[in-house]
Amino acid sequence: MQQGKKRSAVFLFILLFAFWMILAADIDALSIIVGLMATLFVVLYGFDLIFSSQEASRFTFGFLFKSLKLMVILLKGIIISNLQVAKIVLSPSLPIKPGFRTIKQPLKKDLNRTFYGNSITLTPGTLTVKLTDKDIIVHGLEPEYLDALNESDIQKCFIDLERL
Amino acid sequence: MDDIIVKSITRIIIPFVQLYGIFIILHGHVSPGGGFSGGALFGTSLILYTLIFGVDKAQKKFSHRVSEIAESGGILIYLSIGVIGIFTAGYFLSNKAAGFPLGEAGSLLSGGMIPLLMIGVGIKVASTMVTLFHTLIMEERL
Amino acid sequence: MGIVNLIIVVLLIVCALAIEKMKDLLGAVIVFSIYSLLMSVLWLVLKTPDVALTEAAIGAGITSILFIAIIGRTERFEK
Amino acid sequence: MWEIIKNSIVILSVLGGLFFFFVGTVGLIRMPDVFSRMHATTKCDTLGAGLIFIGLMVWQGFSFLSLNIFIILIFVWLTNPTAAHYIASNEYDEMLASQKESEAS
Amino acid sequence: MIEQLPILNLLVLLSTALVIPLFKKRTFNMTLWFGFFTLFFVFISSIVLTYHVYVHGAFYYHLGGHAPFLGIELLIDGFATFFTTFVLGLLILIYSYSAGDATEGISEKEYGRYYILLFILLFAMLGIIYTNDLFNIYVFMEILSITTCSIISIKRKKENYTSAFRYVMLNEVGSLSFLFGVALIYMITGFTNIGLVADALPDVWALYPANIILAVGFMVIGIGIKAAIFPFHVWLPDAHASAPSSSSAILSGIVIKVYALIFVKMLFRLYGVDLLTELNIPIILTVTASVGMVLGSMFAMAQKDIKRMLGYSSVAQMGYIVLGISLFSYLGLRAAFFHITSHALLKSALFLSVGAIIYKQKERRINHYDGIGKLMPLSMGVFTIAALGMIGIPITSGFISKYNLGLAALDANQTILIGVLVFSGLLNAMYYLPIIIQAFLKEPKTPVYMIKLEKIPLTMMLPIAILGLAILTLGIYPNLVMNLIDLAVESLGF
Amino acid sequence: MIEFLQMLYDYVNYLGAVALFIIGLHTVVTHSNLIKRIMGINIMGTAVFYFFIAIGNVTGGLPPILTDTPGEYINPLPSVLILTGIVVVVSITVYSLSLVIRIYETYGTIDQDEIAKINERENADD
Amino acid sequence: MRKWALRILFFMLFMLMSYSVLQMPGDIGLDSPAYNEATHHYIEESLGETGAINIIASILTDYRAFDTLGETIVLFTSIIAVISILRPSAKPEEEEAPTDG
């Protein structure tokens, strides 16, 4: 288990250190040394929080590339969903037919599931209500949005990520 | 709590909150913030941990013994730095007169004893907030 | 002194009155947290970032969490 | 010239952000049940906050401050859907419990 | 080196409180001895300070070496040294009593915490007496209020919780009122140092009278709540009655006196006599004090529980102190200070002897005290001495303080106050004498055949006996402390 | 009239602080629910702090962190006093909340009036 | 009835306090009495005397460090008080267990 965490720990260390440097807003030796020490402390103190390889994809360049692609799709989804919500809310008759649906989800790793759930929340007309090992309970404003979830682009992206 | 989404997001966020708390404690003399706000932020991250993972696990991470030492220790750091002033400058809690190097204004190592006192206060506040929360939410178990 | 200041003061008084009137303690705590947050914004407007930061962390964060924890262990509604 | 383009981008994005916030609030009032309300607020607040922060970043230019704003943006985008999900999840549990109660009685 | 003693006193007390939690629980006796030595050291050093101030005069201590308008300063003068020495001496007695009593009702695990709280309490009281900065007074006042509340609620009984809650709420309202007063003062003077504010106030009075009137009102009400001055006394009987005996002695004997000292400091150092006379404060205080003296005694008469009775008696006795203060004269202040010392001794003696009786007999109702004087002659004897002191019988210290108060009232041409004093003394007699008569003349329910000293631990017996002796000594040779009290009064500007 | 309104507008910070103080005091005094009273204490506390901050305010001033920007800094001392004050009020709040827990465990209610009733009944039994 | 009497009382108190407040020095910034030589000293000299550019930090932990000490002690006291109320009072097996320590 420790073995699987090492790579994630290094990744977290880099992220945290970048965070520190952005906060510190100046690059001098002292700031870097103190930052390294603080970051090391935080990583070691929070070692039980780090994702092991069973829980998250490995962080490689392929991962970065694929997640960038995912970002683009997600941004598009967010904008579309916002426009739709605006249309629904501002139309006087409030045309919604809310309902629940349970859909299958193929993902195994916790982190990917999490982001998948959050992506569903942000994409048009759907809201993750329950996320379990096998399936997701989704609330939809209209049935057609729920239908669009199966075999969606985002799902394909996540399955790609899962394979890494 | 066994909600995967909340749990994972918490696991991502907590280290950042902690680092931010430490940052605020250490930069108290060059930017807004300081021991209280930073300590409270660090404490909040551990409170979040308690809320998500339960009291038992959180107490393993931050045990009674550690909190006792941190509480007395935070003030003892403060006191011992103050006592240095009595011997060198003749007044309790003297800074410049006691010979603390003031350093270059605006850098991390400046202000003499100010960052050291801030660290003491930060440790104290963080540990207090966490322990208070644990004590308040714990049911009486024998 | 500015119009923002005035608006926030009015909102603060509304929040305080709401806290006083509400029978649901949990709701009152939520409003209290909004009150603290507004107060911290107001202090930011009055150019005291240190105090605003502390109030946001302690007043709006920790105090509200503690209140909620206590309400969870006792009663939710005021008689 | 560059100033005008920059300023118009800032104004447009901040106005857009305000518009989506407004939509979210109207949705919060008009929608019939908790889940539908969560739809309106989550999506609109996410994009609204995003647009306003992007506007601020452009206004600031490229500096450490705008990177800070970017971090806040990521934080909002991570936590906002999570909070919505958690509220919805608890509401779902409560709904199931009340259904069971009404069936039993 | 002597200049460092005040801060060293504070630091030693504080570090004792900080080190206790690091001890293991089993070495409890070690903790006790450690604490005792600390107290003894602080006591000796404050005696040295008293001598120093007596010989060389008052001095200032600037924390961090900053000028008073920038930082915080401590003022060590006759007032501060006399009262710190007195508080410490009394606390040593109560401390050793509490070691024997095992502070009834506190579970064994809490002893360590009880002593931590005790030392922080002492730290805060010393700090309040020494400091010369308004905001610093507020901070110490808050430490004091949390510690006093928690040495009530440390005894895990339900009436303790409710009385502590009421106490903490009223205390906090008082503190915040005080803080609001500080804000108003700061707004117009720009200082928080008492001396600088006092210098600036006469000029400012002409410009912004509204600020000063409001500030006086808020501060008087704020400290009045904490010192249980008459209309704001509602929390006191509950709190003092439900606390463990040694806590009651501390609360009733020392803590409200410390608040009275802040009251004195605020009236005489901060505002000055002239300003307050212009605002008619003396008359208001005189009236409330007289009403408090009479009504407090009347409430006390109606009580069945002996500790509640003592609590109401404290309300009445605070009336005497405020009466002395409200005369705004040298003699009046002198009488008030003597009454603070004398009443602290009397009330601690009463609470400790009653505590010993409760420890042995487990009985708090007054009408069950038949013949207890035969079972516990020492405790009841000291109780008798202290009760006679409360009434004002000669050869006890209570007589001297009432005599001085009467003299001060005559000096201020307020003859009616003599009547109030006598009447209040009569009322005191009406509720203390029956207990004494009941205890010594009636037969106990379980008959005893020979009188022997009661079986309570030596650490409890000794303080009670010393307190009884001290009351008599002060009654016969009041000049032992009068010189120091004169010094204290002179340091307030008379 | 206009002048009066202008005056109110100029004093809005002080007036707001006073109003909040009174609302908090009213909450503490009139409510019998213990948690509400603690909230009242908190409102009172923030009101006093707000008053302090308003004293230190300088219209168009700079936050008291030394920079090269020209301009007048606000008065830093009130902020310092308030930083101390906030933590003090939190401590008091936490202490009273812990008392509330114990009161609920022993009495089964957190309403002052009901507690008084229960106490009266028990004293009558003695 | 009592409720309304209290409300009217508090309203009168509010009016009284507002009336007093309106006679106070307003928000006149640099000319206000509180902006005196101490404030100028803090703003102009604190960098040389403490070396910190955040004036608030320099006052908090240098000029008035004793207040901050008092405030940490308030926290310490509150935690001791809360623990003394809420920690389980007796834990016999923990106290007497031979393996302890």
Side-chain angles (χ1 to χ4, degrees):
Chain A
M1 193 192 92
Q2 294 290 336
Q3 206 62 28
K5 280 188 176 182
K6 246 178 201 164
R7 188 183 275 264
S8 312
V10 171
F11 185 71
L12 180 67
F13 186 88
I14 293 167
L15 271 184
L16 282 172
F17 188 65
F19 180 58
W20 174 278
M21 290 320 290
I22 290 171
L23 287 176
D26 61 341
I27 299 165
D28 60 353
L30 189 70
S31 180
I32 289 174
I33 292 168
V34 174
L36 283 175
M37 276 159 56
T39 315
L40 198 66
F41 169 75
V42 169
V43 170
L44 290 182
Y45 188 63
F47 206 78
D48 56 327
L49 298 173
I50 294 168
F51 293 94
S52 66
S53 54
Q54 284 94 45
E55 292 167 316
S57 307
R58 291 171 50 174
F59 300 105
T60 55
F61 284 104
F63 172 81
L64 277 180
F65 179 72
K66 277 173 184 151
S67 48
L68 271 180
K69 188 179 152 201
L70 179 65
M71 283 287 174
V72 173
I73 297 174
L74 196 59
L75 268 179
K76 213 170 71 187
I78 289 174
I79 293 169
I80 292 171
S81 73
N82 267 283
L83 291 174
Q84 273 168 348
V85 167
K87 207 173 78 187
I88 292 171
V89 165
L90 296 180
S91 66
S93 59
L94 211 64
I96 54 169
K97 272 180 276 171
F100 294 99
R101 170 127 12 130
T102 309
I103 59 167
K104 287 219 160 34
Q105 60 113 346
L107 303 172
K108 295 236 160 34
K109 296 184 173 173
D110 272 0
L111 199 61
N112 293 343
R113 279 179 192 159
T114 302
F115 283 118
Y116 184 47
N118 276 351
S119 313
I120 288 178
T121 305
L122 290 179
T123 44
T126 48
L127 178 72
T128 315
V129 176
K130 285 275 173 198
L131 180 72
T132 55
D133 291 345
K134 295 242 170 50
D135 41 37
I136 312 179
I137 301 175
V138 183
H139 179 266
L141 280 182
E142 296 216 21
E144 53 191 286
Y145 298 133
L146 292 170
D147 295 336
L149 271 183
N150 283 323
E151 308 290 322
S152 64
D153 288 348
I154 289 178
Q155 194 180 357
K156 275 176 205 153
C157 273
F158 272 106
I159 292 168
D160 268 6
L161 274 180
E162 184 91 0
R163 275 200 213 109
L164 281 172
Chain B
M1 184 171 309
D2 46 4
D3 195 301
I4 297 169
I5 293 184
V6 178
K7 219 169 175 171
S8 310
I9 295 289
T10 316
R11 283 168 72 175
I12 297 171
I13 284 171
I14 284 178
F16 288 90
V17 177
Q18 284 176 346
L19 192 69
Y20 191 53
I22 292 173
F23 174 86
I24 285 184
I25 293 175
L26 292 179
H27 285 69
H29 53 298
V30 290
S31 64
F36 308 124
S37 3
L41 265 173
F42 198 92
T44 315
S45 81
L46 286 171
I47 288 178
L48 186 60
Y49 186 91
T50 316
L51 284 174
I52 305 298
F53 295 96
V55 183
D56 294 331
K57 221 177 156 192
Q59 282 194 339
K60 228 172 266 168
K61 205 173 167 80
F62 197 84
S63 66
H64 284 328
R65 194 73 195 147
V66 173
S67 79
E68 271 170 13
I69 290 170
E71 268 140 33
S72 291
I75 302 182
L76 283 175
I77 291 176
Y78 203 107
L79 283 185
S80 44
I81 291 168
V83 168
I84 293 173
I86 291 185
F87 292 114
T88 54
Y91 289 107
F92 184 59
L93 287 169
S94 321
N95 186 359
K96 190 183 181 185
F100 285 103
L102 292 191
E104 185 196 342
S107 83
L108 203 53
L109 261 190
S110 66
M113 70 174 178
I114 292 177
L116 299 172
L117 293 187
M118 285 293 189
I119 290 173
V121 175
I123 292 173
K124 167 84 192 110
V125 173
S127 113
T128 305
M129 292 303 163
V130 180
T131 317
L132 282 178
F133 185 69
H134 285 178
T135 317
L136 281 182
I137 65 167
M138 233 174 0
E139 299 288 328
E140 188 157 345
R141 282 172 301 192
L142 282 178
Chain C
M1 198 75 37
I3 199 75
V4 180
N5 192 329
L6 182 67
I7 291 170
I8 296 177
V9 171
V10 172
L11 284 177
L12 275 173
I13 291 175
V14 169
C15 281
L17 285 175
I19 293 171
E20 218 223 305
K21 282 276 161 277
M22 275 175 127
K23 292 280 175 201
D24 183 355
L25 288 174
L26 197 62
V29 173
I30 305 290
V31 178
F32 178 76
S33 128
I34 296 171
Y35 170 88
S36 291
L37 217 55
L38 275 174
M39 196 55 118
S40 122
V41 171
L42 180 56
W43 288 343
L44 207 59
V45 170
L46 294 177
K47 307 285 165 43
T48 46
D50 292 67
V51 187
L53 192 59
T54 312
E55 171 73 10
I58 290 181
I62 289 175
T63 312
S64 310
I65 292 177
L66 291 175
F67 269 122
I68 291 172
I70 299 304
I71 290 171
R73 285 186 68 169
T74 57
E75 289 169 352
R76 186 174 157 181
F77 291 98
E78 190 185 7
K79 286 185 190 82
Chain D
M1 191 58 210
W2 170 233
E3 279 297 300
I4 294 172
I5 295 172
K6 191 175 129 183
N7 283 347
S8 50
I9 292 174
V10 172
I11 290 170
L12 273 182
S13 56
V14 170
L15 279 181
L18 283 178
F19 169 74
F20 283 117
F21 270 130
F22 173 74
V23 168
T25 315
V26 172
L28 180 68
I29 297 167
R30 284 196 69 192
M31 290 289 193
D33 63 342
V34 175
F35 301 105
S36 317
R37 278 182 201 151
M38 289 328 293
H39 278 286
T41 48
T42 316
K43 279 157 199 154
C44 295
D45 284 3
T46 313
L47 190 66
L51 280 175
I52 285 180
F53 284 136
I54 287 170
L56 289 178
M57 278 165 71
V58 174
W59 187 53
Q60 183 62 34
F62 186 78
S63 71
F64 278 109
L65 200 60
S66 60
L67 281 176
N68 278 347
I69 299 172
F70 184 66
I71 291 173
I72 300 174
L73 179 60
I74 292 178
F75 182 80
V76 170
W77 278 15
L78 274 183
T79 50
N80 216 344
T82 314
H85 157 74
Y86 194 53
I87 293 172
S89 160
N90 276 350
E91 175 66 21
Y92 187 72
D93 285 348
E94 213 156 273
M95 197 179 77
L96 286 189
S98 66
Q99 267 177 13
K100 218 173 258 175
E101 228 168 64
S102 61
E103 275 167 26
S105 63
Chain E
M1 192 55 206
I2 281 183
E3 280 75 30
Q4 304 290 347
L5 277 182
I7 196 76
L8 279 182
N9 283 349
L10 292 176
L11 291 185
V12 165
L13 290 173
L14 182 56
S15 18
T16 312
L18 292 176
V19 168
I20 290 175
L22 300 180
F23 282 141
K24 284 267 172 197
K25 273 151 204 145
R26 257 175 233 163
T27 52
F28 179 65
N29 273 330
M30 208 176 99
T31 315
L32 270 183
W33 280 108
F34 181 63
F36 188 76
F37 282 123
T38 313
L39 277 179
F40 199 69
F41 167 77
V42 179
F43 184 55
I44 297 291
S45 86
S46 67
I47 288 175
V48 171
L49 262 179
T50 315
Y51 178 73
H52 180 84
V53 169
Y54 192 70
V55 175
H56 298 283
F59 63 92
Y60 292 94
Y61 186 91
H62 295 152
L63 282 153
H66 296 295
F69 71 105
L70 295 176
I72 296 168
E73 74 174 355
L74 308 180
L75 169 57
I76 296 93
D77 55 3
F79 176 79
T81 50
F82 170 64
F83 282 109
T84 45
T85 316
F86 178 69
V87 163
L88 281 163
L90 199 53
L91 210 92
I92 287 182
L93 294 179
I94 299 175
Y95 181 84
S96 63
Y97 172 89
S98 74
D101 188 0
T103 48
E104 42 135 359
I106 304 177
S107 77
E108 212 157 291
K109 235 182 142 187
E110 307 294 334
Y111 291 166
R113 286 180 200 133
Y114 183 75
Y115 289 110
I116 298 172
L117 292 171
L118 209 59
F119 280 104
I120 296 178
L121 178 77
L122 197 50
F123 165 80
M125 288 195 293
L126 254 61
I128 283 184
I129 296 173
Y130 282 142
T131 188
N132 199 23
D133 190 280
L134 280 175
F135 191 77
N136 210 16
I137 287 182
Y138 166 74
V139 173
F140 279 123
M141 230 152 68
E142 293 285 15
I143 303 176
L144 197 54
S145 61
I146 298 190
T147 36
T148 44
C149 291
S150 50
I151 62 173
I152 295 170
S153 64
I154 198 164
K155 187 174 151 190
R156 300 186 165 190
K157 289 213 175 139
K158 53 185 183 179
E159 67 263 23
N160 288 55
Y161 298 137
T162 43
S163 56
F165 190 84
R166 186 189 282 180
Y167 188 18
V168 78
M169 282 293 119
L170 278 168
N171 246 326
E172 191 55 20
V173 171
S175 299
L176 288 174
S177 301
F178 182 81
L179 189 62
F180 202 76
V182 174
L184 290 165
I185 292 285
Y186 177 75
M187 186 177 185
I188 45 171
T189 59
F191 297 113
T192 55
N193 185 289
I194 291 178
L196 292 170
V197 170
D199 289 344
L201 272 184
D203 301 334
V204 172
W205 168 243
L207 289 172
Y208 305 112
N211 277 61
I212 297 180
I213 295 171
L214 218 56
V216 171
F218 272 110
M219 281 177 154
V220 167
I221 291 176
I223 300 177
I225 290 174
K226 286 162 163 277
I229 292 169
F230 166 63
F232 312 111
H233 66 278
V234 280
W235 55 269
L236 185 138
D238 280 341
H240 289 193
S242 56
S245 294
S246 52
S247 301
S248 309
I250 293 169
L251 292 174
S252 216
I254 303 177
V255 172
I256 55 173
K257 305 298 184 303
V258 170
Y259 286 126
L261 293 180
I262 308 176
F263 198 61
V264 170
K265 232 182 187 177
M266 191 192 83
L267 293 182
F268 291 92
R269 285 244 170 87
L270 185 66
Y271 292 113
V273 179
D274 299 337
L275 207 159
L276 292 174
T277 322
E278 209 166 317
L279 291 178
N280 287 331
I281 296 289
I283 295 164
I284 299 171
L285 284 182
T286 312
V287 172
T288 53
S290 312
V291 176
M293 274 155 68
V294 175
L295 278 188
S297 300
M298 289 203 170
F299 285 133
M301 253 186 278
Q303 301 304 319
K304 288 178 192 142
D305 181 316
I306 188 155
K307 284 179 89 174
R308 277 182 79 87
M309 189 196 88
L310 292 179
Y312 273 110
S313 161
S314 282
V315 175
Q317 301 292 323
M318 279 312 284
Y320 285 92
I321 293 169
V322 176
L323 184 68
I325 295 168
S326 73
L327 295 173
F328 280 82
S329 66
Y330 179 82
L331 283 177
L333 208 55
R334 195 161 166 256
F337 282 179
F338 192 83
H339 196 73
I340 288 178
T341 31
S342 134
H343 179 243
L345 288 174
L346 294 170
K347 225 353 113 37
S348 331
L350 284 172
F351 266 117
L352 293 189
S353 52
V354 165
I357 293 169
I358 294 172
Y359 173 72
K360 197 71 189 164
Q361 307 286 339
K362 311 265 183 280
E363 187 55 69
R364 297 174 60 151
R365 277 164 292 176
I366 294 171
N367 50 7
H368 287 63
Y369 273 22
D370 294 352
I372 264 179
K374 287 170 188 158
L375 291 170
M376 309 184 71
L378 177 83
S379 302
M380 210 54 215
V382 174
F383 183 90
T384 310
I385 294 172
L388 293 180
M390 283 286 177
I391 299 164
I393 307 286
I395 78 152
T396 56
S397 63
F399 171 70
I400 307 289
S401 65
K402 287 201 180 171
Y403 174 70
N404 277 328
L405 267 176
L407 278 188
L410 273 183
D411 185 58
N413 282 329
Q414 302 203 344
T415 348
I416 190 166
L417 291 181
I418 309 262
V420 177
L421 274 173
V422 171
F423 182 57
S424 158
L426 278 178
L427 286 176
N428 279 347
M430 278 170 67
Y431 60 87
Y432 278 119
L433 283 181
I435 302 175
I436 300 171
I437 293 170
Q438 202 181 6
F440 280 107
L441 298 184
K442 284 192 183 167
E443 283 304 311
K445 270 170 270 171
T446 51
V448 283
Y449 298 106
M450 54 165 134
I451 291 175
K452 57 181 178 192
L453 226 49
E454 62 257 39
K455 278 182 189 157
I456 55 173
L458 188 68
T459 46
M460 288 168 69
M461 206 143 55
L462 216 55
I464 296 175
I466 292 174
L467 278 173
L469 280 180
I471 292 165
L472 291 177
T473 322
L474 265 190
I476 299 167
Y477 304 109
N479 286 339
L480 281 178
V481 293
M482 269 308 183
N483 286 335
L484 293 171
I485 287 179
D486 283 345
L487 196 70
V489 175
E490 274 155 23
S491 71
L492 285 170
F494 283 99
Chain F
M1 189 61 203
I2 299 286
E3 274 172 15
F4 183 69
L5 284 180
Q6 178 67 36
M7 193 174 170
L8 287 188
Y9 182 68
D10 284 345
Y11 280 81
V12 61
N13 284 332
Y14 296 139
L15 290 177
V18 168
L20 291 175
F21 187 85
I22 294 288
I23 293 171
L25 191 64
H26 187 251
T27 316
V28 177
V29 172
T30 57
H31 279 259
S32 65
N33 187 297
L34 302 182
I35 292 180
K36 264 292 172 57
R37 297 176 80 183
I38 301 172
M39 281 181 198
I41 289 286
N42 271 289
I43 294 176
M44 265 174 89
T46 38
V48 177
F49 303 155
Y50 177 31
F51 197 85
F52 259 109
I53 298 286
I55 292 170
N57 184 32
V58 172
T59 310
L62 296 172
I65 291 163
L66 297 170
T67 48
D68 300 332
T69 328
E72 296 292 341
Y73 295 102
I74 62 149
N75 191 350
L77 190 60
S79 323
V80 176
L81 304 183
I82 290 330
L83 277 176
T84 309
I86 287 177
V87 179
V88 168
V89 170
V90 169
S91 316
I92 297 274
T93 308
V94 171
Y95 173 70
S96 12
L97 284 176
S98 66
L99 279 175
V100 168
I101 289 185
R102 281 298 181 200
I103 288 175
Y104 184 74
E105 277 176 8
T106 47
Y107 286 93
T109 175
I110 50 169
D111 196 87
Q112 188 90 61
D113 299 340
E114 289 180 18
I115 290 169
K117 262 180 221 157
I118 293 172
N119 273 340
E120 234 166 62
R121 216 177 297 142
E122 282 178 3
N123 286 342
D125 289 347
D126 280 350
Chain G
M1 191 55 220
R2 183 170 162 272
K3 207 164 125 189
W4 276 102
L6 268 171
R7 266 183 204 167
I8 290 166
L9 190 78
F10 275 102
F11 187 71
M12 277 160 65
L13 191 63
F14 172 65
M15 291 316 281
L16 188 76
M17 280 174 76
S18 314
Y19 177 72
S20 318
V21 159
L22 287 178
Q23 295 174 6
M24 290 174 185
D27 193 348
I28 43 181
L30 300 177
D31 302 326
S32 82
Y35 208 90
N36 56 4
E37 69 262 29
T39 314
H40 285 294
H41 187 101
Y42 285 136
I43 289 172
E44 283 146 23
E45 310 287 332
S46 74
L47 186 61
E49 286 180 3
T50 66
I53 62 169
N54 185 353
I55 303 173
I56 290 180
S58 72
I59 301 175
L60 192 69
T61 43
D62 192 345
Y63 294 108
R64 299 185 72 92
F66 198 54
D67 271 350
T68 312
L69 178 64
E71 179 265 302
T72 46
I73 295 161
V74 173
L75 273 179
F76 181 76
T77 316
S78 80
I79 195 161
I80 295 289
V82 168
I83 287 177
S84 80
I85 293 174
L86 285 183
R87 279 273 163 85
S89 47
K91 257 187 192 172
E93 61 277 0
E94 195 193 40
E95 287 286 297
E96 299 303 326
T99 51
D100 182 26

